[in-house]
Amino acid sequence: MIKLAIYGKGGIGKSTCTANLAAAFAMRGKKVIQIGCDPKADSTINLLNGEPVTPVMDWMRDHDDEPDSLDQIAKEGFGGVLCIETGGPTPGLGCAGRGIITTFSLLKELRLFETYQPDVVLYDVLGDVVCGGFAAPIREGYAEQVLIVTSGEKMALYAANNINNAVKNFEDRSYAKVRGLILNRRNVTDEEAKVRAFAETAGLSIAADIPRSDDITKYEDTGKTVIEGDPACETAKRFFALADLLIGEDAGI
């Protein structure tokens, strides 16, 4: 099973990358779960034609109880991807990391993985904080690998370096390891050179190079990924290539 957590600076395009990667895996015949670990709960919306699933924390607030069925907190989207959102506390009244921990505990109780038996699990994780609840997806038994989304912008690379260092600090606890970078281009000056220099210094590979494209915005405006909207476009091909790379590695090819 491929178990992957996606990290990166806030606003760098983690949800876009995660949803398109999920869709690419699904188009390759894989059974996929995507779990959005962000209070905004918008990670999976472009797999659901713009109709969001009820976040776990919202359901628990509204019902003053835990859900007793996966159907209450999960929805199948494009390609059969099972979409789940942790959500978060009422703004200003709690810790978003606590929402992740609560959700993961609940999913374990509901036997999500035993019931659904996925080939791929993707965790889209809030921002650039890798501590407390935000580290939950990379603990043993959840994600096994981390992909860090970055551009060539200074703050994106700064966050990528912090995330890489934080994950390395967890290596002796059998946590996930960093698989590499996703270069999500913003077309800044010397972008590729900057990211390649960082990757070389950090000892990381660039697993995917996603061009800056209007196709992404075009299809997200209609609640779709580019994989669904135009699987033959160049951006979609890059996500398919990343999915194929990870599938091949998982199979030992």
Side-chain angles (χ1 to χ4, degrees), residues 169-188:
N169 288 337
F170 291 138
E171 284 183 354
D172 61 349
R173 305 185 198 179
S174 299
Y175 282 20
K177 300 183 185 303
V178 178
R179 165 60 185 80
L181 305 174
I182 295 177
L183 168 52
N184 193 30
R185 289 181 180 259
R186 295 294 180 88
N187 292 346
V188 300

Side-chain angles (χ1 to χ4, degrees), residues 3-241:
K3 297 187 285 186
L4 189 66
I6 315 292
Y7 283 85
K9 175 183 174 291
I12 199 60
K14 292 184 301 298
S15 295
T16 292
C17 289
T18 307
N20 276 281
L21 184 55
F25 278 126
M27 290 288 282
R28 291 298 195 243
K30 300 300 180 183
K31 199 170 186 180
V32 184
I33 297 174
Q34 180 171 326
I35 302 176
C37 304
D38 188 324
K40 297 195 305 297
D42 58 358
S43 173
T44 59
I45 197 165
N46 290 315
L47 293 165
L48 295 166
N49 288 311
E51 299 179 4
V53 63
T54 300
V56 172
M57 298 303 289
D58 286 18
W59 199 99
M60 293 173 71
R61 275 196 301 273
D62 292 344
H63 296 81
D64 197 28
D65 196 4
E66 293 185 353
D68 54 20
S69 168
L70 288 171
D71 293 341
Q72 295 167 320
I73 54 167
K75 185 189 293 188
E76 284 200 4
F78 173 76
V81 176
L82 189 70
C83 300
I84 298 171
E85 298 281 356
T86 67
T90 301
L93 297 180
C95 171
R98 178 67 61 183
I100 297 172
I101 293 171
T102 300
T103 297
F104 279 31
S105 176
L106 174 64
L107 294 178
K108 186 175 182 179
E109 291 177 17
L110 293 176
R111 298 178 60 81
L112 169 65
F113 303 116
E114 294 87 346
T115 301
Y116 199 71
Q117 297 186 336
D119 302 303
V120 181
V121 184
L122 301 175
Y123 303 90
D124 176 12
V125 189
L126 168 68
D128 53 2
V129 182
V130 189
C131 61
F134 304 106
I138 63 172
R139 292 175 184 160
E140 187 174 6
Y142 293 107
E144 294 177 347
Q145 299 182 82
V146 172
L147 282 173
I148 303 172
V149 182
T150 188
S151 66
E153 296 163 301
K154 180 178 179 180
M155 295 310 296
L157 289 169
Y158 181 81
N161 185 59
N162 283 344
I163 294 163
N164 184 50
N165 288 336
V167 175
K168 282 186 175 180
N169 288 337
F170 291 138
E171 284 183 354
D172 61 349
R173 305 185 198 179
S174 299
Y175 282 20
K177 300 183 185 303
V178 178
R179 165 60 185 80
L181 305 174
I182 295 177
L183 168 52
N184 193 30
R185 289 181 180 259
R186 295 294 180 88
N187 292 346
V188 300
T189 304
D190 296 326
E191 185 161 34
E192 183 173 351
K194 291 173 181 176
V195 175
R196 290 197 178 279
F198 165 70
E200 183 175 350
T201 300
L204 300 174
S205 65
I206 298 176
D209 184 342
I210 309 301
R212 188 167 183 82
S213 170
D214 291 338
D215 288 333
I216 291 176
T217 303
K218 172 184 175 181
Y219 291 111
E220 286 189 346
D221 283 346
T222 64
K224 297 178 181 178
T225 62
V226 292
I227 298 294
E228 180 179 3
D230 185 1
C233 75
E234 181 59 32
T235 304
K237 290 177 181 177
R238 302 292 181 94
F239 285 112
F240 277 123

